[in-house]
Amino acid sequence: MTGRRALFIDGANLDRTARNLGFEIDYKRLLLEFEKSGTLVRSYFYLAIRESAAGGVQRLTDWLEVNRFTVRTRLIKSHEGEGRRSRRSIGIDLAIDALEIAPRVDEVFLFSGDGDFRALVEAVQRLGVRVTVVSSVQMAPAMVSEELRRQADEFLELATLRNSIER
């Protein structure tokens, strides 16, 4: 399919999936790969980071911003209460961005296997946008939830992109 497209990259999830497959992502090559068959309207990159690691990812996020990515970062905050700790997720930011851009694109590529995005995929589809989930089922357990994979219009195995996007 050719047309207007947007990329939504759950940075930690994509990095973990690629590493489990034995490679690292070259984000410049990733952009070039997805520009081959459509107009790339926007590329989003999301990352939740610990305060102690904020400086370590600054170089990556700066490079991504210079190279046409819209970068959204959130500090992970732990809260004590009733013996439980919770963290701030970037999922809500990704969902808002996807719903806002949906009227201007034909296809969304979601680089995540997180099943929490199933409802988002369904909502974007109701707006008439095709959704391709990019993750992996080539390891046990699979890096993509079965519910998310089934909800997507298409599932793209990350390993098939290796030669095109590997660093």
Side-chain angles (χ1 to χ4, degrees):
M1 175 179 184
T2 60
R4 298 165 300 163
R5 47 184 43 181
L7 308 181
F8 291 86
I9 299 171
D10 176 346
N13 192 287
L14 177 60
D15 180 63
R16 187 171 48 255
T17 302
R19 286 184 190 277
N20 284 343
L21 290 169
F23 72 100
E24 289 185 39
I25 304 288
D26 180 326
Y27 290 100
K28 187 169 209 116
R29 292 183 74 197
L30 186 142
L31 282 180
L32 293 171
E33 181 64 23
F34 283 87
E35 288 176 326
K36 287 179 184 177
S37 56
T39 302
L40 200 51
V41 174
R42 185 75 41 122
S43 302
Y44 295 92
F45 185 91
Y46 302 86
L47 188 61
I49 54 177
R50 296 188 190 289
E51 288 185 63
S52 60
V57 298
Q58 189 66 47
R59 201 168 92 191
L60 170 64
T61 56
D62 287 348
W63 184 92
L64 289 168
E65 287 175 343
V66 168
N67 286 279
R68 302 182 302 140
F69 282 89
T70 300
V71 177
R72 306 267 196 253
T73 59
R74 290 282 176 240
L75 288 177
I76 296 172
K77 297 179 182 177
S78 297
H79 302 282
E80 296 295 331
E82 297 181 25
R84 297 184 348 187
R85 299 172 63 121
S86 61
R87 302 186 307 177
R88 171 94 161 96
S89 169
I90 50 81
I92 191 71
D93 299 316
L94 189 152
I96 291 168
D97 289 340
L99 290 169
E100 284 181 344
I101 203 168
R104 298 189 303 275
V105 297
D106 304 305
E107 187 169 17
V108 162
F109 289 85
L110 174 61
F111 290 78
S112 182
D114 188 338
D116 289 345
F117 290 125
R118 193 215 51 80
L120 170 64
V121 169
E122 183 180 19
V124 169
Q125 289 169 326
R126 283 194 306 266
L127 296 171
V129 177
R130 284 185 53 81
V131 179
T132 299
V133 168
V134 184
S135 189
S136 184
V137 294
Q138 290 194 1
M139 59 201 76
M143 293 299 291
V144 62
S145 81
E146 185 63 22
E147 296 81 14
L148 180 63
R149 191 172 67 81
R150 287 178 187 233
Q151 184 66 52
D153 294 296
E154 188 172 337
F155 174 74
L156 181 56
E157 172 60 50
L158 183 62
T160 65
L161 295 173
R162 183 177 185 157
N163 291 336
S164 302
I165 66 171
E166 182 174 22
R167 182 187 328 225

